[in-house]
């Protein structure tokens, strides 16, 4: 299909805000925070509601600063369109690879595929910023790279979900 024109900075800012405060994003942060609290990923955060809160705000800030960098600030600088366009046709494997590869490849403002510098640099910058609010033992290169890989993987899975959700929703509506 015909691609819409690239988002203006104001639109990109609005998309970043929607992606940050969307109920599914807040819910996902809650689920990952519960899991981290249950597994004592950072024992110094404590247990229970207060521990969950310490995990949650950090997870939220990780996602928020990453979104504003990846969806708004860097695409405006690099002239990249970070919106996900579902393929919507073809085999499951082909569509899954396409969706996941969007973290590495994205269209520029002229619709040409380019290295997704906004995603790759933005998620990296967000992880560098996170060193300031995670415990010092989590500021190791290994810990930061692990969180960086997780953020890229999460974005790839989000794209795959966006690719296949219309099919899933259609199937669910047909089979109550």
């Amino acid at each position: 299909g015909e691609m819409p024109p690239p988002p203006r900075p104001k639109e990109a800012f609005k998309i970043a805000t929607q992606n940050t405060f969307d109920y599914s994003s807040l819910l996902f942060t809650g689920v990952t925070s519960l899991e981290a609290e249950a597994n004592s990923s950072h024992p110094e955060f404590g247990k229970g509601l207060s521990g969950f809160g310490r995990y949650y705000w950090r997870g939220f800030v990780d996602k928020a600063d990453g979104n504003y960098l990846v969806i708004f600030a860097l695409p405006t600088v690099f002239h990249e369109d970070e919106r996900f366009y579902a393929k919507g046709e073809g085999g499951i494997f082909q569509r899954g690879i396409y969706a996941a590869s969007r973290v590495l490849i994205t269209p520029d403002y002229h619709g040409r595929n380019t290295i997704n510098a906004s995603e790759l640099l933005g998620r990296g910058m967000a992880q560098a910023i996170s060193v300031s609010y995670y415990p010092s033992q989590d500021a190791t290169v290994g810990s930061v790279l692990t969180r960086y890989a997780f953020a890229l993987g999460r974005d790839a899975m989000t794209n795959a979900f966006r690719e296949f959700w219309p099919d899933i929703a259609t199937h669910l509506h047909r089979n109550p």
Side-chain angles (χ1 to χ4, degrees), residues 69-70 118-129 144 148 152:
L69 286 164
V70 170
S118 300
E119 170 79 24
L120 298 171
L121 287 173
R123 292 294 172 209
M125 290 165 71
Q127 289 312 314
I129 292 166
V144 172
Y148 176 64
L152 293 177

Side-chain angles (χ1 to χ4, degrees), residues 81-162:
D81 188 347
E82 286 299 314
R83 294 172 296 184
F84 177 76
Y85 298 100
K87 208 174 188 51
E89 56 190 33
I92 288 176
F93 184 74
Q94 181 188 19
R95 290 172 64 194
I97 293 294
Y98 161 80
S101 73
R102 299 300 93 190
V103 298
L104 304 174
I105 302 162
T106 198
D108 64 16
Y109 281 5
H110 306 289
R112 289 187 299 261
N113 280 336
T114 184
I115 295 289
N116 194 341
S118 300
E119 170 79 24
L120 298 171
L121 287 173
R123 292 294 172 209
M125 290 165 71
Q127 289 312 314
I129 292 166
S130 78
V131 168
S132 69
Y133 56 81
Y134 275 96
S136 56
Q137 63 267 31
D138 297 313
T140 65
V141 172
S143 292
V144 172
L145 288 176
T146 299
R147 290 196 305 269
Y148 176 64
F150 176 78
L152 293 177
R154 183 192 61 216
D155 289 349
M157 289 190 308
T158 299
N159 288 345
F161 179 78
R162 287 179 179 152

